Amino acid sequence: CSHHQLDMARPIILNPVRLFPVKGVEYSINVENALKNEALKSGKPIPYLLIFGNIREDTEYTKKLQRKIIECGLESDVIFLDGVPLS
């Protein structure tokens, strides 16, 4: 967590999938967006969404996901771990 400088007071949602369209990562981003909106309304901490997938596996799909993250204003809430962390 220190590598990504996460605020440990915030909840963490893990998405341990590979970055391919069939895996539906965009649905996780939609859920994160809804959770963020609810957290802002209720004054609760905004959760992080940690996505394990390797960003180089399907670069076009990754770009699509990154555009969606920007459109939703989730740049500081969604983190690509670029593979399974070993430490």
Side-chain angles (χ1 to χ4, degrees), residues 6 10 41-42 44 53 66-67 85:
L6 301 179
R10 292 174 60 177
K41 287 179 195 174
S42 66
K44 294 187 178 178
Q66 290 170 329
R67 284 191 301 271

Side-chain angles (χ1 to χ4, degrees), residues 1-4 11-12 14 16-17 20-21 28 43 48 50 53-54 58 61 70 72 77-78 81 87:
C1 290
S2 62
H3 175 73
H4 292 284
I12 295 175
L14 300 177
V17 298
F20 290 105
S28 298
Y48 290 109
L50 305 183
N54 183 321
D58 185 334
Y61 184 58
I70 291 167
C72 293
D77 307 309
V78 177
L81 298 178
S87 62

Side-chain angles (χ1 to χ4, degrees), residues 5 9 30 33 39 48-49 56-57 60 72 80 87:
Q5 299 178 348
N30 289 337
N33 192 38
Y48 290 109
L49 172 61
R56 290 175 296 283
E57 277 190 303
E60 287 305 311
C72 293
F80 290 96
S87 62

Side-chain angles (χ1 to χ4, degrees), residues 24-82:
V25 178
E26 64 274 10
Y27 299 120
S28 298
I29 294 169
N30 289 337
V31 169
E32 173 66 17
N33 192 38
L35 290 171
K36 180 176 184 173
N37 290 334
E38 289 301 314
L40 290 171
K41 287 179 195 174
S42 66
K44 294 187 178 178
I46 299 165
Y48 290 109
L49 172 61
L50 305 183
I51 301 172
F52 283 66
N54 183 321
I55 61 175
R56 290 175 296 283
E57 277 190 303
D58 185 334
T59 56
E60 287 305 311
Y61 184 58
T62 300
K63 288 176 188 175
K64 177 182 173 184
L65 295 174
Q66 290 170 329
R67 284 191 301 271
K68 183 169 189 64
I69 289 166
I70 291 167
E71 288 169 9
C72 293
L74 298 171
E75 298 93 334
S76 62
D77 307 309
V78 177
I79 299 168
F80 290 96
L81 298 178
D82 200 23

